[in-house]
Amino acid sequence: MKMATSSERSPPPFPEDLEPEPDEVGDQDSDDGEDIFLGADNPLEIKMDHSLPASDIASSTKPLSEASSAPVMDILSEPASEAFSAPMMNLLMEPASETSSAPMVDLLMEPASETSSAPMMNLFMEPASEASSGPMVDLLMDPASDDLKEPPKPDINPLADIINDAPLSEVKTPVAAMTQEPPSDLFDDEPSELFAEPRQSNTAKQQQTSIFDEPDEDLFSEPLGEALKKPQNDVFKEALAPVAKASNVCGPLSDNYNEDPTDIFTEEAITTLPSAVSTVSVNSKTNGVHSDEEEPDIFAEATVELSLDSPRNDRKKKEAAKPSASASAPSVSASASKPQPKTLEELDEEIEDKFELNISITNPEKVGDGMNAYMAYKVSTQTTLPMFRSKTFTVRRRFSDFLGLYEKLSDKHTLNGYIVPPPPEKSIMGMTKVKVGKEDNSSAEFVERRRAALERYLQRVVFHPSLLQDPDVREFLERDDMPRAHNTQALSGAGFLKMINRATDSLSKMTIKMNESDVWFEEKLQEVEAEDQQLRKLHIMVDSLVGHRKELSVNTGGFAKSVAMLGSSEDNTALSRALSQLAEVEDKMEQLHQEQAASDSFCFAELLADYIRLLGSVRASFDQRMKTWQRWQDAQNMLQKKRETEAKLLWANKPDKLQQAKDDITEWEAKVTQYERDFDRVSATVRKEVLRFEKEKARDFKKQIIKYLESLLQSQQQLIKYWEAFLPEAKAIA
Amino acid sequence: VRSCVEPQIEEDYQAVNVDLQTDATLQVDISDALSERDKVKFTVHTKSTLPNFKQNEFSVVRQHEEFIWLHDSFVENEEYAGYIIPPAPPRPDFDASREKLQKLGEGEGSMTKEEFTKMKQELEAEYLAIFKKTVAMHEVFLCRVAAHPVLRKDMNFHVFLEYNQDLSVRGKNKREKMEDFFKNVVKSADGVLVAGVKDVDDFFEHEKTFLLEYHNRVKDASSKSDRMIRSHKSAADDINRIASTLYTLGTQDSTDVCKFFLKVSELFEKTRKIEARVAADEDLKLADLLKYYLRESQAAKDLLYRRGRALVDYENANKALDKARAKNKDVLQAETSQQVCCQKFEKISESAKQELIDFKTRRVAAFRKNLVELAELELKHAKGNLQLLQSCVGVLKGDT
């Protein structure tokens, strides 16, 4: 409250700062504050860091739930309206009446009058209107960086200010515009309960914390714990952005935000998002308003969001610092709050656990006639992810659309070292048959095989945390009128293989040049190459097995007929009967072999084909890393040259050109640094991707091969059944 | 290549195709066999209480050609026209197998040591199997003869069993082969003529239609079963190769998935053995049975042909006698000839009927035995496979 100006930067509060706050803030805080401060010194720090993000999350959830794009305004308008105008009054009045009055008044009144300043308004209004995207982040980032540099001793005050400011300011001006009604709810429900009691005793607060304990632990406790180990800077940088945003976004949110600090400082050693949001303080009440109706949802969704989005956003941030508008804003905040501290593996697992996206491809349908005919597939998505417009939707896509999707993804992500799952190859043979319209077995099998391959392909894409975030993927899944993909021809069949081969060629060439600094990559690459070779070999063999099994099926069928004939000409009745029984057994075996051949092909051969293609992508990502390395090396060489030039110029005493040379050096130094960073980044991505790939590979292989073995097992069970039925017939021959 | 037949395995092959009455007075088996470069030497072992043998137990070494000589001597003997002559054993054919071994030797450089060893073992096993089958077929021929009430007393047969020197039978020369060929052409043309003649005896008429059809169908079934078994073997080979590639894949490093590959490889290695056994047993119990009855039904057809021929001769002799009587010229000669033909025909008919009945009995018994064994083996293998798969899936699932 003292430092109205500082309110602009929403700086992360630090523990030391806290102490003053309780005093200032008032009675309510004092209780809690004591607990907290007395009990947990260390925890406080942690909490501090996270409390911010936490509040963000809370706030960001709202937008997410609401179509994620426009949200800011909404948030401001709706909740604010409820929470603010009147609540302010309530806040002031009610609590005040309940003994704790003084502080409350302080909190609310002072800032309001003092600070509620214009800048705050600006902060809030601008970004809000701009839909929370880039600018927000910028805005937020600045202060953050500031804070980092001069870590927030004085923060508590500012925080407090902010807290007060935000709502207040809004109350003053915007509130008028936006809000008018709700406060009664807010304050009626919660304040009365929460406030009144808590003030007098801590129990109330404890209750509250307990209420929120559960979610807290799930979502946040972990990250918090880990956060300790991690550098705070990161956390702050990213966390700040959201925080600021939160405060900006809306009254209530800002309240939350404000709260957090207070809460953190006051109450909860275990502070976590929910607690912060819901805690008893004045600000929390505003949340309470939300909470009545929306909170549960918000949180529910928020959790999903968090688990899924956060990693991606992290990556994105690292790479591109400007998150795409709609999804990113919330997700950024989310990511800020927890993913950072988490290890990759944990994240991955979490993603898998909470993955709520099922994709299936069904109903392959021939569209058109003759050589212009094509197959269209129904792509159905079932999801609870908030990033999609609805929970279930279907679109129709043709094969080239899939290729087109790959092309788009590959263009964007291969550069960064990602392993982009490749689609199945075009098959001119197979398609021609389908086009010609032969309704025979092989073309039906072809269509089914392709359908399954496309399904697996798409599942791999959406299973990839980064790729799922790609707008093209969402467009592919959601958009009804996909523009036709062009030039997919380049990727078809042989072309695709050629591409992979080219990649490997250049790769091997470069390997010679590159003296690998990291043994891991060298070994992995060798492994990948050896594996590729073996898988190809295996694939050929499994194909051969499929062929022989089909042949066996046909021949068994032939034999069955032949035995049936033999049986019919046999003049011993019992033998004749036994022979025709044998023919029946062989008939069933024909079917069995046929089915087994199908599962050889679908479970085993297709799996191998998938992974041969995927290994191509893996190699491409190694290749990408190599290229980045090459670029860095080239830049270094160039820098070296420039330095030599400078030296020569110095020696030749040509000052006129010296400046140019110096500039060059600076330029190239920057480039070298940049390229080195790129290389490190790509290396890190490749490593991460390869590890992820291996995990998925292991899972896929286990799943598929076990499935395959189970099919073999069933075959054998059938076989036993057939022969057991036959045995008495054979024995009955006399 | 030299190999010996292990006695216990030989049991599998012994008396596979025919039901043989065991008669203590004359028991013949092949106790040993040696495969040399271009020939197989069978040690024929005889146990007998018959007085025309000098000893009760003795062994001689015989080659395939001598078996053929014995068979041909039966066929050519008019005395035996009324009997189904046991079909001659097929010529040992190791060429394909040898060729494969040779190719393997040439390709040694292009594969890994494990692959080579594995392939070599496989080919050797294949070679051994062919070898054993050959032995078994030769033995079956001797057993059939030994069990035949008339043929067992044949002098040539006794010489074949007892004479401990080379019988110095030579393979047929070109001229003789040509003669055989023409004889066969004439015979089959004649066979068609003879078959067209309506038989006076319903039994033989029925047998004739039956055998004609049966022979064709068993021929078809035999070739179809061969094809089926061949693709089964190919599939087993594929599984074998898959197992070894999986093994290579599994030894690349020691990650979880590699251990997984190793386990699957181990499983496939076992299942492919079973799968190969299934193919081998089907070959033994089914294909060989059909092949034997293909030859045996041919022998029965030959008997019917001889009888048919005799019938036609008899009828012609009757006609000639009628003519002679009408012209009253050469009546005596015609009568004699008619009587000879009549006797010959009746003699053939008399034994042929019993032979055909025996053929049927033998056939039914052999089919029963083989089909029961086949079903039992199939069950055994399927259960073995099932167990392997179940335990492996159990282990793998436990791992994941």
Side-chain angles (χ1 to χ4, degrees), chain A residues 395-408:
Chain A
V395 287
R396 289 201 78 79
R397 294 284 178 263
R398 52 182 291 184
F399 183 64
S400 53
D401 294 334
F402 287 87
L403 293 184
L405 175 64
Y406 168 73
E407 221 170 352
K408 283 182 200 160

Side-chain angles (χ1 to χ4, degrees), chain A residues 358-385:
Chain A
N358 289 319
I359 290 197
S360 60
I361 295 180
T362 49
N363 301 15
E365 229 174 56
K366 198 169 121 180
V367 180
D369 281 311
M371 286 319 279
N372 287 324
Y374 63 91
M375 296 299 296
Y377 303 85
K378 195 167 128 193
V379 180
S380 318
T381 313
Q382 238 189 339
T383 182
T384 56
L385 293 182

Side-chain angles (χ1 to χ4, degrees), chain A residues 428-469:
Chain A
I428 291 163
M429 273 286 289
M431 249 340 260
T432 312
K433 256 190 190 168
V434 174
K435 280 175 182 169
V436 172
K438 265 193 174 175
E439 290 292 325
D440 66 347
N441 250 359
S442 71
S443 80
E445 198 188 303
F446 167 78
V447 170
E448 167 56 17
R449 197 200 319 253
R450 169 163 286 180
R451 183 206 64 75
L454 288 174
E455 191 174 87
R456 289 192 307 273
Y457 157 67
L458 208 53
Q459 278 165 351
R460 284 198 179 96
V461 169
V462 300
F463 225 69
H464 194 296
S466 309
L467 297 182
L468 176 58
Q469 287 305 307

Side-chain angles (χ1 to χ4, degrees), chain A residues 334-355:
Chain A
S335 66
S337 64
K338 96 170 180 183
Q340 283 281 351
K342 281 216 154 192
T343 64
L344 262 175
E345 281 76 359
E346 278 170 332
L347 284 175
D348 279 352
E349 262 156 35
E350 232 171 76
I351 289 163
E352 280 159 29
D353 290 342
K354 297 189 179 167
F355 207 81

Side-chain angles (χ1 to χ4, degrees), chain B residues 46-79:
Chain B
T46 310
K47 254 176 153 181
S48 173
T49 52
L50 291 180
N52 28 356
F53 293 116
K54 290 181 198 105
Q55 290 166 297
N56 285 343
E57 192 169 353
F58 44 86
S59 294
V60 289
V61 173
R62 292 284 172 260
Q63 291 181 31
H64 175 70
E65 285 71 23
E66 293 166 313
F67 284 79
I68 299 300
W69 164 81
L70 180 62
H71 175 262
D72 288 350
S73 78
F74 291 148
V75 172
E76 281 155 18
N77 192 334
E78 281 286 315
E79 285 295 302

Side-chain angles (χ1 to χ4, degrees), chain A residues 453-688:
Chain A
L454 288 174
E455 191 174 87
R456 289 192 307 273
Y457 157 67
L458 208 53
Q459 278 165 351
R460 284 198 179 96
V461 169
V462 300
F463 225 69
H464 194 296
S466 309
L467 297 182
L468 176 58
Q469 287 305 307
D470 193 292
D472 281 327
V473 173
R474 260 179 300 153
E475 186 187 65
F476 183 87
L477 295 177
E478 276 185 327
R479 188 164 161 186
D480 283 331
D481 50 336
M482 254 311 254
R484 278 276 284 124
H486 293 293
N487 296 330
T488 52
Q489 217 63 27
L491 277 175
S492 66
F496 185 77
L497 279 178
K498 226 183 276 165
M499 193 191 76
I500 290 174
N501 288 339
R502 220 187 304 135
T504 37
D505 281 351
S506 61
L507 185 61
S508 54
K509 259 182 252 154
M510 286 171 111
T511 327
I512 305 166
K513 275 189 281 173
M514 182 170 183
N515 48 345
E516 183 61 83
S517 52
D518 194 334
V519 194
W520 187 87
F521 285 98
E522 205 177 333
E523 284 175 0
K524 266 291 171 271
L525 183 58
Q526 273 171 9
E527 265 174 41
V528 165
E529 277 170 358
E531 192 178 353
D532 184 56
Q533 210 186 345
Q534 293 302 322
L535 283 186
R536 279 167 198 274
K537 212 167 147 187
L538 195 57
H539 187 240
I540 292 169
M541 285 163 186
V542 175
D543 264 355
S544 154
L545 176 64
V546 173
H548 282 132
R549 197 98 78 173
K550 279 183 183 161
E551 194 184 293
L552 174 60
S553 168
V554 171
N555 289 338
T556 307
F559 177 66
K561 281 190 195 80
S562 194
V563 168
M565 295 297 284
L566 183 67
S568 74
S569 69
E570 172 60 60
D571 58 3
N572 177 291
T573 332
L575 180 53
S576 167
R577 188 184 143 82
L579 285 174
S580 61
Q581 292 292 320
L582 178 64
E584 258 173 52
V585 170
E586 298 290 348
D587 249 345
K588 287 177 193 155
M589 301 248 285
E590 175 194 9
Q591 189 57 31
L592 214 55
H593 291 312
Q594 180 70 42
E595 285 163 13
Q596 192 54 57
S599 89
D600 288 341
S601 170
F602 281 99
C603 292
F604 205 176
E606 286 287 280
L607 172 75
L608 296 171
D610 276 9
Y611 272 88
I612 290 168
R613 280 199 298 271
L614 275 165
L615 282 178
S617 291
V618 173
R619 294 166 93 167
S621 86
F622 274 98
D623 190 27
Q624 190 54 41
R625 176 176 168 271
M626 216 75 78
K627 276 185 196 151
T628 339
W629 182 82
Q630 194 60 43
R631 198 176 56 168
W632 171 36
Q633 296 303 307
D634 290 348
Q636 257 181 343
N637 289 339
M638 187 57 95
L639 177 60
Q640 189 60 34
K641 268 183 209 155
K642 296 286 177 198
R643 283 193 173 131
E644 278 164 14
T645 319
E646 188 203 22
K648 272 181 205 156
L649 287 172
L650 270 175
W651 188 72
N653 201 11
K654 286 182 183 165
D656 48 332
K657 288 182 185 167
L658 203 57
Q659 191 51 46
Q660 176 61 34
K662 281 202 164 100
D663 289 349
D664 280 354
I665 289 175
T666 326
E667 188 197 331
W668 280 99
E669 270 171 353
K671 276 188 184 164
V672 168
T673 323
Q674 177 59 41
Y675 291 162
E676 183 178 6
R677 221 180 286 145
D678 284 351
F679 173 69
D680 287 345
R681 182 172 48 88
V682 171
S683 294
T685 310
V686 170
R687 185 192 284 258
K688 217 165 60 186

